[in-house]
């Protein structure tokens, strides 16, 4: 089509040339020449006008439809709601708050019409007089804008469809769209839409956000001078930016005031005094409201865009109401817990990496908060790890861009090392501790809380659903679960001794523990309770990596790739916290995996439900296996590495869980299960080359466990979780009970017996560090009371078992 147009215009220009050649004919008089020229120009003008009209008709289908234009004036963002009716987020195209004309200062409207389009109420989208005037002035060397408010609105609403290039095509599209807008909107609606869509820099769109950004007030409170300043910016927001170019902005403001006086909307007597006043700003950027669960909202937004595309909706204009599973009260507790605990842990890392000595300063994180004021955070790390710091520099965009531009790599490195601002920013970025926390109700798989990082403004990376890190010992339950599914008894014993497992490539895997091997027999149950790597490796050796990985996938680790090698037993394959909590939820539901549910229903702007969602469930393991795993993991928090849940946070509910720590203290994990809530947290640095320094503070029991413990403590205190609900206990036969009882009674593994007050560590290998040392007198008394209660429960349990055995033998011999 473009080729035909070019050929047509080529013929047109030939015709024009023919007309002017006739004027050189000496046989014609001046009257004939003038008449011929006039006729030629008139014909050309007519032809050009006809062509313009034809081209405009061709462009009509390439401009926004009337239906789209009508929808734009009632554009309504979608809203995310919590399960308890609280607003979590609003999906807006831009940072804008829509206001009606009665919420806008009359000075703004007067200044706008007087300056941009004083015949606004007289034309129908295109001011022919102004357009003709602008063409003439442009030809005379004084370019003038001839766009009406309606034409400007067309560009604001559809910048991509219309464009901003100075071409005839763009101008025709603008005119066509303006005519459509005038047809679809009233004049009042045009003003409202214009004032709410015009951009004002600094991520401020619309008059309301502009008023807040530049003058820290709402649009209806703007004075004459403030209104003139903002309207003056419309000619060129950057050029007349009052923050960076105050002198230009004042001159432009005064022109607006003159126009207002000229159009008699402002008294001439006031103009001169107003013009002499200085520019007074109260500038403050207006951040977009993040809501209490920004990472969760962003995760939903990405999913919702795909859903709306498939179902012909628009998340930014159709006013959808998305009801999620998040409980606003649990979310608030999760936010508070993660913020409070990671702030203390950041102080620990800052101080430990600031001192030359790597020895443990304290087992109380709060001690480090006061010490941080006396040191330069991470100074020792930064000074002694030169190669690593240089690697950090080479990975930055500043380094790569400079090298790509032709600078010598060594020179760039040296220059950036000397840039104090650059190095300070890099240090802060690399040494900022991060965390993620997610909680799920296992009964219906509803996600109740989701915290993706310490601060969304600082780190938008989601450490719940995006970040994949090695889970360490939190993966062990899946190894033991696979063994139980294969028929291995929790009472089966292995020697706690060094293990060497040959690898297919000829190498040998030698897992080690924090404490030395004892050489004594240890049951499978105790191997998980005390998180012994030597026992876990032997269990993995018998069950096989393939079956362990398959069990984990069935339980809920379904997105991450699990490498089927022996070391998988110790959690070497990276996974997300969302997967881990979902998998532990399968255990808490006695073996049923349910896909995590984030959204329960979507309704239209009138509240009519469009679609509802629920969890898909599938059997992941037998109920018996799940019951046995719960019993083992209950032991892990009562006797093993998760004891701080009881001793520090005093949880009185029936809970079970597991800590996890990866090599070199890189990642800390903890997952805690309750029949109605499963919560898990990961704590570490975004760059895995940065770790906690001391072994004590590198343990998941001292990093991730406090985050989960704090959250659970708040949830139980607020009665958001029923502390009275308990897991179903494993069902065993009378004979099995008798065997277990005789084993404990006659020298078998006594680890099930409650510890004595003077020796709180059970017999057998010492658990990893994790139990908080010391504590107040009240804490110690509460711990002793708990111990006595454990004795009482054990006594009652054993009494019942003895009675069962006696009754069994009585029935046997009757």
């Amino acid at each position: 089509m473009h080729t035909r147009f070019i050929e047509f215009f080529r013929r047109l220009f030939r015709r024009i040339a023919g007309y002017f050649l006739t004027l050189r004919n000496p046989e014609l008089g001046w009257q004939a020449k003038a008449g011929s020229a006039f006729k030629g120009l008139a014909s050309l003008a007519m032809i050009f006008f006809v062509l313009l009209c034809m081209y405009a008709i061709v462009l009509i289908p390439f401009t926004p439809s009337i239906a789209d234009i009508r929808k734009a004036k009632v554009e309504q963002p979608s809203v995310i709601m919590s399960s308890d009716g609280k607003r979590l987020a609003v999906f807006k195209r831009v940072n804008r708050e829509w206001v009606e004309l009665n919420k806008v200062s009359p000075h703004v409207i007067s200044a706008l019409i007087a300056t941009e389009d004083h015949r606004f109420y007289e034309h129908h989208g295109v001011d022919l007089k102004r357009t003709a005037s602008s063409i003439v002035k442009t030809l005379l060397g004084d370019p003038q804008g001839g766009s009406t408010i309606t034409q400007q609105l067309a560009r604001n609403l559809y910048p991509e469809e219309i464009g901003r290039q100075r071409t005839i095509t763009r101008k025709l599209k603008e005119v066509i769209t303006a005519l459509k807008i005038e047809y679809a909107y009233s004049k009042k609606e045009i003003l409202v839409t214009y004032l709410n869509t015009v951009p004002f820099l600094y991520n401020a769109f619309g008059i309301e956000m502009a008023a807040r950004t530049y003058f820290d007030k709402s649009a209806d409170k703007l004075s004459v001078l403030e209104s003139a300043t903002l309207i003056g910016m419309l000619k060129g927001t950057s050029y007349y930016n009052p923050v960076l170019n105050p002198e230009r902005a004042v001159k432009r403001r005064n022109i607006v005031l003159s126009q207002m006086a000229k159009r008699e909307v402002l008294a001439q007597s006031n103009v001169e005094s107003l013009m002499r006043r200085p520019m007074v700003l109260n500038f403050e950027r207006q951040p977009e409201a993040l809501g209490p669960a920004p990472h969760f909202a962003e995760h939903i937004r990405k999913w919702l865009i795909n859903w709306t595309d498939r179902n012909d909706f628009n998340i930014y204009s159709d006013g959808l109401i998305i009801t999620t599973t998040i409980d606003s009260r649990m979310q608030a507790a999760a936010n508070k817990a993660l913020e409070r605990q990671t702030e203390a842990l950041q102080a620990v890392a800052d101080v430990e990496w600031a001192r030359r000595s790597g020895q443990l300063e304290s087992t109380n994180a709060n001690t480090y908060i006061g010490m941080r004021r006396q040191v330069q955070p991470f100074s020792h790390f930064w000074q002694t790890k030169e190669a690593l710091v240089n690697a950090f520099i080479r990975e930055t965009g500043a380094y790569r861009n400079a090298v790509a531009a032709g600078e010598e790599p060594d020179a760039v490195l040296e220059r950036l090392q000397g840039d104090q601002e650059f190095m300070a920013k890099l240090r802060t970025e690399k040494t900022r501790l991060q965390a993620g926390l997610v909680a799920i109700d296992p009964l219906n798989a509803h996600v109740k809380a989701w915290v993706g990082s310490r601060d969304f403004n600082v780190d938008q990376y989601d450490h719940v659903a995006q970040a994949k890190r090695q889970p360490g010992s939190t993966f062990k339950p899946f190894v033991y679960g696979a063994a139980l599914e294969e028929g291995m008894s929790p009472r089966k014993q292995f020697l706690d001794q060094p293990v060497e497992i040959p690898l297919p490539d000829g190498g040998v895997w030698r897992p080690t523990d924090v404490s030395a091997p004892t050489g004594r027999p240890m049951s499978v149950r105790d191997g998980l309770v005390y998180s012994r790597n030597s026992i876990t490796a032997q269990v993995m050796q018998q069950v096989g990596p393939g079956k362990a990985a398959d069990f984990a996938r069935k339980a809920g680790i379904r997105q991450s790739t699990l490498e089927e090698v022996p070391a998988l037993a110790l959690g070497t394959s990276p996974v997300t916290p969302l997967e881990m909590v979902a998998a532990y939820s399968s255990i808490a539901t006695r073996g049923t995996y349910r896909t995590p549910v984030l959204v329960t229903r979507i309704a239209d702007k009138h509240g009519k439900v469009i679609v509802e969602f629920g969890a898909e469930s599938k059997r992941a393991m037998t109920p018996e296996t799940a019951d046995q795993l719960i019993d083992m993991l209950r032991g892990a928090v009562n006797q093993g590495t998760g004891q701080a849940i009881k001793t520090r946070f005093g949880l009185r509910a029936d809970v079970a869980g597991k800590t996890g720590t990866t090599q070199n203290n890189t990642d800390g994990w903890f997952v805690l299960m309750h029949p109605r809530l499963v919560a898990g947290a990961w704590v570490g640095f975004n760059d895995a080359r940065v770790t906690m320094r001391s072994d004590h503070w590198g343990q998941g029991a001292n990093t991730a466990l406090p985050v989960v413990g704090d959250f659970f403590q708040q949830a139980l205190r607020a009665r958001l979780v029923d502390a009275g609900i308990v897991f179903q206990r494993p069902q065993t036969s009378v004979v099995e009970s008798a065997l277990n009882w005789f084993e404990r009674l006659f020298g078998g593994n006594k680890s099930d017996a409650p510890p004595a007050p003077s020796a709180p560590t059970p017999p057998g290998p010492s658990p990893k560090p994790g139990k908080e040392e010391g504590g107040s007198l009240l804490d110690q008394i509460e711990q002793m009371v708990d111990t006595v209660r454990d004795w009482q429960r054990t006594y009652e349990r054993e009494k019942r078992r003895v009675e069962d055995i006696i009754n069994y033998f009585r029935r046997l011999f009757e």
Side-chain angles (χ1 to χ4, degrees):
M1 185 175 77
H2 290 291
T3 304
R4 287 199 295 266
F5 268 109
I6 292 171
E7 183 61 30
F8 184 83
F9 278 109
R10 186 178 292 150
R11 290 197 300 269
L12 178 63
F13 285 127
R14 284 178 188 158
R15 188 172 179 183
I16 293 171
Y19 274 115
F20 282 99
L21 284 173
T22 60
L23 299 181
R24 300 177 62 183
N25 191 340
E27 297 179 0
L28 295 176
W30 70 269
Q31 296 92 342
K33 290 181 180 180
S36 178
F38 179 77
K39 288 179 182 179
L41 290 173
S43 298
L44 290 175
M46 181 60 68
I47 292 171
F48 183 76
F49 179 73
V50 171
L51 288 175
L52 207 60
C53 291
M54 292 173 60
Y55 188 45
I57 292 171
V58 172
L59 289 175
I60 289 176
F62 298 96
T63 58
S65 66
I66 296 291
D68 288 337
I69 290 172
R70 281 177 173 158
K71 185 182 290 187
K73 70 179 177 181
V74 292
E75 185 173 287
Q76 190 171 336
S78 297
V79 180
I80 295 185
M81 304 296 293
S82 68
S83 60
D84 54 329
K86 304 296 183 182
R87 179 180 290 188
L88 297 178
V90 178
F91 291 142
K92 300 184 290 187
R93 292 184 193 274
V94 292
N95 191 21
R96 170 175 60 216
E97 184 171 325
W98 198 278
V99 291
E100 296 297 329
L101 280 189
N102 61 355
K103 296 292 185 180
V104 178
S105 170
H107 301 304
V108 172
I109 301 167
S110 299
L112 174 65
I113 295 175
T115 307
E116 296 295 322
D117 190 0
H118 68 277
R119 277 191 289 270
F120 173 71
Y121 290 104
E122 299 171 19
H123 61 70
H124 298 286
V126 180
D127 188 343
L128 296 178
K129 293 181 181 179
R130 187 176 181 187
T131 301
S133 175
S134 68
I135 292 173
V136 172
K137 290 182 179 180
T138 300
L139 292 174
L140 293 175
D142 182 21
Q144 296 286 318
S147 297
T148 63
I149 289 175
T150 313
Q151 288 173 270
Q152 294 178 43
L153 174 60
R155 292 200 302 266
N156 292 340
L157 287 179
Y158 305 103
E160 295 181 3
E161 293 88 339
I162 294 175
R164 294 189 179 274
Q165 302 87 353
R166 290 182 176 274
T167 63
I168 188 68
T169 299
R170 191 272 295 174
K171 198 65 180 178
L172 285 174
K173 284 185 176 181
E174 179 185 296
V175 169
I176 294 167
T177 307
L179 293 173
K180 288 182 178 181
I181 290 174
E182 288 279 345
Y183 174 81
Y185 291 10
S186 67
K187 290 291 185 179
K188 179 181 178 181
E189 288 172 334
I190 291 173
L191 287 175
V192 169
T193 310
Y194 179 87
L195 287 171
N196 282 287
T197 56
V198 65
F200 282 97
L201 298 180
Y202 303 109
N203 198 29
F205 290 80
I207 193 65
E208 178 66 20
M209 295 308 295
R212 296 183 191 178
T213 300
Y214 294 99
F215 301 107
D216 194 25
K217 60 175 63 174
S218 58
D220 60 338
K221 299 292 193 301
L222 290 171
S223 66
V224 174
L225 286 175
E226 293 164 346
S227 300
T229 300
L230 294 179
I231 296 303
M233 289 179 67
L234 300 180
K235 188 175 178 63
T237 50
S238 296
Y239 191 80
Y240 296 109
N241 182 355
V243 178
L244 300 180
N245 305 305
E247 292 183 1
R248 293 178 192 166
V250 168
K251 290 179 181 179
R252 181 61 188 167
R253 179 201 70 183
N254 292 343
I255 290 174
V256 173
L257 293 173
S258 298
Q259 287 296 107
M260 294 175 72
K262 181 179 178 180
R263 305 303 172 192
E264 298 181 350
V265 293
L266 186 64
Q268 185 67 46
S269 57
N270 295 334
V271 172
E272 292 185 5
S273 62
L274 288 172
M275 286 183 176
R276 288 193 295 269
R277 293 188 185 180
M279 178 74 68
V280 179
L281 298 177
N282 192 356
F283 177 78
E284 184 177 357
R285 291 175 182 267
Q286 300 298 305
E288 295 188 51
L290 295 178
H295 288 91
F296 175 81
E298 181 62 17
H299 188 85
I300 292 296
R301 187 185 67 82
K302 293 176 182 176
W303 169 83
L304 194 61
I305 287 175
N306 292 328
W307 184 89
T308 52
D309 286 346
R310 294 194 307 269
N311 294 276
D312 197 26
F313 288 101
N314 189 306
I315 68 171
Y316 302 113
S317 61
D318 287 337
L320 299 175
I321 303 170
I322 301 98
T323 302
T324 71
T325 57
I326 292 290
D327 185 303
S328 66
R329 298 160 298 179
M330 285 196 186
Q331 183 66 32
N335 287 335
K336 188 175 181 179
L338 190 137
E339 179 185 5
R340 178 161 47 204
Q341 299 302 327
T342 54
E343 178 62 26
L345 290 168
Q346 182 71 64
V348 171
D350 287 346
V351 172
E352 288 200 335
W353 278 116
R355 295 177 178 271
R356 289 185 178 181
S357 172
Q359 69 181 57
L360 183 67
E361 298 286 348
S362 172
T363 57
N364 188 337
N366 293 325
T367 304
Y368 290 85
I369 295 177
M371 298 171 65
R372 181 163 54 179
R373 304 187 189 96
Q374 306 166 13
V375 300
Q376 175 64 39
F378 272 82
S379 56
H380 179 73
F381 181 99
W382 221 246
Q383 292 165 6
T384 58
K385 297 184 180 292
E386 182 181 357
L388 181 56
V389 172
N390 288 342
F392 292 161
I393 297 173
R394 292 188 183 98
E395 292 164 6
T396 63
Y399 177 88
R400 291 196 298 266
N401 293 338
V403 172
E407 291 188 53
E408 287 294 327
D410 291 343
V412 176
L413 182 63
E414 185 177 355
R415 174 168 59 81
L416 292 177
Q417 287 173 338
D419 187 335
Q420 293 184 358
E421 183 178 352
F422 170 83
M423 292 300 291
K425 182 179 179 181
L426 181 63
R427 178 188 293 186
T428 300
E429 176 187 320
K430 289 294 183 179
T431 61
R432 181 176 175 80
L433 191 73
Q434 278 301 343
L437 169 67
V438 62
I440 296 177
D441 181 345
L443 198 64
N444 52 22
H446 286 188
V447 175
K448 311 305 290 183
W450 179 310
V451 188
S453 75
R454 290 175 64 187
D455 188 342
F456 186 84
N457 285 315
V458 175
D459 193 348
Q460 287 83 43
Y461 190 54
D462 187 355
H463 297 86
V464 168
Q466 287 181 298
K468 294 184 178 182
R469 303 296 288 254
Q470 292 183 345
S473 294
T474 51
F475 190 85
K476 288 179 180 178
F478 309 126
V479 179
Y480 286 87
L484 295 172
E485 288 281 88
E486 291 296 306
M488 185 179 291
S489 169
R491 296 184 298 104
K492 180 178 174 63
Q493 295 190 339
F494 293 92
L495 283 178
D496 180 21
Q497 61 184 2
V499 178
E500 294 186 353
I501 299 178
L503 300 176
D505 61 0
V508 178
W509 180 48
R510 298 182 179 87
T512 58
D513 285 286
V514 174
S515 58
T518 63
R520 292 185 292 177
M522 177 175 284
S523 69
V524 167
R525 181 184 187 278
D526 284 349
L528 182 55
V529 167
Y530 298 115
S531 197
R532 295 298 289 181
N533 293 340
S534 60
I535 305 299
T536 306
Q538 294 176 70
V539 173
M540 172 64 100
Q541 197 172 20
Q542 287 206 7
V543 74
K547 290 182 180 178
D550 186 55
F551 183 91
R553 293 187 192 104
K554 289 179 180 178
I557 300 177
R558 304 197 169 194
Q559 278 73 50
S560 299
T561 301
L562 299 177
E563 190 177 3
E564 297 179 5
V565 295
L568 177 65
L570 306 186
T572 54
S573 290
V575 297
T576 67
L578 183 60
E579 289 177 294
M580 288 298 290
V581 173
Y584 271 70
S585 295
S586 298
I587 301 173
T589 57
R590 302 190 68 229
T592 300
Y593 168 75
R594 295 185 174 92
T595 55
V597 180
L598 310 181
V599 175
T600 55
R601 66 178 178 271
I602 299 175
D604 63 19
K605 60 185 176 183
H606 303 295
K608 181 180 178 181
V609 176
I610 300 170
V611 63
E612 294 184 319
F613 301 94
E616 296 179 4
S617 59
K618 190 175 182 180
R619 175 59 60 183
M621 66 195 80
T622 63
E624 293 75 19
T625 294
D627 289 342
Q628 289 171 335
L629 285 175
I630 291 170
D631 181 61
M632 293 177 181
L633 295 172
R634 185 187 289 113
V637 297
N638 288 336
Q639 305 158 260
T641 57
Q643 291 183 73
I645 281 294
K646 296 293 182 74
T647 59
R648 175 177 174 181
F649 294 98
L651 301 190
R652 300 289 180 261
D654 185 13
V655 291
K658 186 73 187 75
T659 60
T661 307
T662 60
Q663 199 167 19
N664 299 323
N665 305 321
T666 303
D667 306 282
W669 289 78
F670 183 65
V671 184
L672 189 65
M673 299 185 298
H674 177 273
R676 289 307 306 271
L677 190 66
V678 178
W682 165 87
V683 175
F685 295 88
N686 281 340
D687 193 316
R689 293 168 294 184
V690 183
T691 67
M692 300 297 283
R693 189 176 186 185
S694 65
D695 287 339
H696 175 83
W697 288 112
Q699 296 292 315
N702 296 313
T703 56
L705 184 149
V707 176
V708 177
D710 191 334
F711 166 68
F712 249 92
Q713 186 182 64
Q714 293 181 68
L716 288 169
R717 284 177 177 174
R719 300 184 183 279
L720 302 176
V721 180
D722 187 351
I725 301 176
V726 297
F727 288 111
Q728 181 169 329
R729 300 282 170 160
Q731 299 295 317
T732 56
S733 65
V734 174
V735 174
E736 183 76 11
S737 298
L739 290 172
N740 290 338
W741 183 77
F742 278 115
E743 277 186 359
R744 288 191 298 274
L745 190 63
F746 297 109
N749 193 326
K750 298 184 178 60
S751 60
D752 281 344
S758 58
T761 303
S766 301
K768 293 180 182 178
K771 180 176 179 296
E772 182 167 318
E773 298 177 12
S776 66
L777 179 61
L778 181 59
D779 290 337
Q780 295 179 29
I781 293 173
E782 287 180 352
Q783 185 176 351
M784 292 179 66
V785 169
D786 287 343
T787 302
V788 173
R789 287 174 177 167
D790 285 340
W791 287 351
Q792 183 179 2
R793 282 194 293 268
T794 302
Y795 169 78
E796 295 293 334
R797 185 172 67 248
E798 298 305 327
K799 179 182 177 182
R800 287 194 299 271
R801 287 181 177 179
V802 170
E803 290 173 350
D804 288 341
I805 294 170
I806 293 172
N807 290 333
Y808 170 79
F809 282 108
R810 182 177 293 158
R811 290 194 301 272
L812 188 64
F813 293 106
E814 282 180 350

